[in-house]
Every structure is written in C-alpha cells, then in structure tokens.
Amino acid sequence: MYLAGEPVVSWNAGKARNLFQYLLVNRGRVVRREKLFETLWPAAAWASAASSLRVAVHAVRRTFEPATGGRPVEIGSLAHGYRLTATDLWLDVDEFDSALREAHAAEARGSRARAVAWYRRAARVYTGDFLAGETGDWVVEQREYYRALALHALTSLRADALRRDDHTEVVDLCRRILDIDPYQEETYQTLMVLHARRGELGQVRNWHRMCVRRLHDDLDVPPTETTRRIFARGVRGELRSPAPATARAGRARPGTAPRTGSRPGARPAAWTAGPRR
C-alpha cells in the first residue's frame, strides 16, 4: 500500500494492518465491533470493555495522520461498530471486479470481442493471491473467491486462444491456470492435445506424467478416462494435425503424385473434455 506516494511500512500496533485490510475490503459499511474482534482475535472471548480493538483502531488512524492533502482514509466510530471511508483510492481488486462485470455484461450482449478484451484486463490485474502471506480465515475465504474468478477469466481467454489457434497463448494461459489450480485436469488435457497435434510427443508424456503424479500424490485419485484416452491417442500419433498440402507435395517421391485427402476411416483429431465427475 502507498500513501501520498510512499509505501506504508509501519502500522504502530500488531493488529493495525489486519484491521485496516478488513475494513478496507468492507469500506463504506458499518462493521460491528464483535465481528471485528472475532476476525482479528478468533481465539479470544469478546468483551465490550476489551481495549485491543480500540488500540488497533487508534494505530490505524495514526498511520494516516502524516498524509498530505487532507485525510484520505477515515475510520468513523458508530454506536455498534466502525466504518472506513476513503477518497482518491485505487485497489487492484476493485479494478479486477469491475473488469469481470464488464466482461459478463458483454457476454450477455453477445459481444465476444468485448468480453475477451475485459477478460484480458482482469487477467492483467490479477498478479497473485489476495493478501499473500496473510493467514486469517476471512483472508483465505477472499483468496479462494478471487482465485475462482481468475480461473474463469483465464479459462475464457484460453477458449478464445484455441478458437484462434494461437498455440503460444494457449500454453501461457494453461500455465497460469495451473499456477492457481494445479489439479485442473482439463488444462492438462488441453496441453496434451495441443502438443500431440504438433507431434511433440515428449511434451505429451511430460504433461500426462505431471497430471497423474499430482492427482495421485496430493488428492489420491486417478486421472479420468478422458485423460487416459487423450494420452493414448496422442502418443500413438492419432491426434497429429495433417501436414499442409505444399509440405506433403515436397516430400513426395520423384515420379509419384502426392496423396490428398484423409486416410479412409481415420478419426479426426477432435476431442472433448469435461470436468471431473
């Protein structure tokens, strides 16, 4: 966090930063004192006379006192709680939420291009876990919420990249998805199909091996039949994209005409992969 262009490094009390984080996420709303106490001191019993919360509130207020140009952040005391108000404030989570709302609205209007543009903006804003390093229950809940939204945005972008046959972007998006959820089997399936179509059988084996290992070691579950089928067809070369006609003609033996068309009875390199049942 930056205040008047300078990073905030001192919060004057142990729980001041956590209090500010919680009030900031809930800014504009009154948060009851009991709720704040339960959130910040989950192992302690609430008592209206307890001074810990008042000390933390005072510490937050002191943190913002040196700010120039007025008081950009204020914590108001009300009958049953506190309310944080802020002016001239930029939060990455706000921009992330706004971009996703615009993307969903564009999808509802049938504007795929606009939806993709907003999903790209959301993906740029999402650079990692919400409040990484913090361990409070409310932080973990918010973190998982934003992870789910980021996965939706990245998956939508991956679908668009697949439609455009942009292999480089597909791989990049798959890697970002796996950074968030290393157990999303459909992503491994996408990577295996992509490399199988390009004849990169070593990569097919590598992604399959990683998928199987993670599912087995961390979740104690086997891969789905879809994953097994994609891997088997991939390593047999059944998913490889046919070479362009000009390339086939260049490889033809002297005195022979290049073969055209597909092999009779050959199965197309199409595939479908749904979520784990």
Side-chain angles (χ1 to χ4, degrees):
M1 192 187 90
Y2 289 81
L3 180 62
E6 296 295 328
V8 177
V9 296
S10 176
W11 289 92
N12 301 308
K15 291 291 185 180
R17 184 180 65 174
N18 302 126
L19 172 65
F20 173 73
Q21 291 167 342
Y22 189 81
L23 288 175
L24 188 62
V25 171
N26 294 280
R27 69 189 181 280
R29 298 193 292 268
V30 178
V31 183
R32 295 178 64 88
R33 288 179 173 84
E34 296 93 324
K35 178 62 176 177
L36 288 171
F37 195 88
E38 292 171 2
T39 299
L40 299 178
W41 294 274
W46 157 251
S48 58
S51 63
S52 303
L53 181 57
R54 291 195 299 274
V55 170
V57 170
H58 178 68
V60 175
R61 287 169 173 163
R62 284 185 57 196
T63 297
F64 291 96
E65 283 177 358
T68 59
R71 301 177 66 183
V73 175
E74 294 187 17
I75 299 180
S77 300
L78 291 94
H80 301 293
Y82 296 97
R83 178 173 58 201
L84 184 145
T85 56
T87 59
D88 193 22
L89 177 72
W90 180 87
L91 286 179
D92 54 358
V93 293
D94 287 348
E95 185 169 342
F96 180 73
D97 287 335
S98 176
L100 286 181
R101 285 195 298 270
E102 293 291 346
H104 296 159
E107 284 183 330
R109 296 192 302 268
S111 177
R112 176 186 296 175
R114 290 295 297 167
V116 167
W118 283 111
Y119 280 130
R120 289 191 187 283
R121 183 168 181 175
R124 284 195 300 269
V125 173
Y126 186 87
T127 57
D129 280 341
F130 173 79
L131 294 182
E134 302 290 345
T135 57
D137 288 347
W138 78 271
V139 174
V140 174
E141 182 179 335
Q142 286 291 120
R143 183 176 298 151
E144 293 304 322
Y145 169 72
Y146 284 119
R147 280 179 177 176
L149 294 181
L151 285 171
H152 175 72
L154 293 170
T155 301
S156 298
L157 290 174
R158 183 182 65 189
D160 176 70
L162 284 168
R163 281 192 294 268
R164 292 184 287 102
D165 205 26
D166 188 332
H167 292 186
T168 300
E169 186 174 358
V170 171
V171 172
D172 178 65
L173 290 166
C174 285
R175 295 296 295 268
R176 290 193 64 184
I177 289 170
L178 292 177
D179 283 342
I180 300 173
D181 181 3
Y183 311 109
Q184 193 183 93
E185 197 170 346
E186 184 181 353
T187 299
Y188 294 103
Q189 296 167 357
T190 299
L191 288 165
M192 286 191 291
V193 170
L194 183 69
H195 289 293
R197 286 176 173 171
R198 298 167 66 173
E200 299 166 348
L201 303 188
Q203 289 294 85
V204 174
R205 292 183 181 279
N206 289 339
W207 286 116
H208 179 262
R209 185 183 301 113
M210 183 180 296
C211 174
V212 172
R213 177 175 55 79
R214 285 178 171 174
L215 292 176
H216 177 271
D217 293 353
D218 298 342
L219 303 181
D220 195 25
V221 295
T224 62
E225 177 59 32
T226 299
T227 296
R228 291 191 289 268
R229 185 169 61 251
I230 289 173
F231 175 68
R233 294 188 63 199
V235 295
R236 289 198 300 263
E238 295 178 7
L239 301 181
R240 185 162 186 171
S241 298
T246 54
R248 291 197 302 270
R251 291 197 302 268
R253 288 183 290 105
T256 62
R259 297 177 62 185
T260 60
S262 59
R263 177 170 53 86
R267 299 174 63 185
W271 64 283
T272 57
R276 174 183 294 276
R277 297 295 182 184

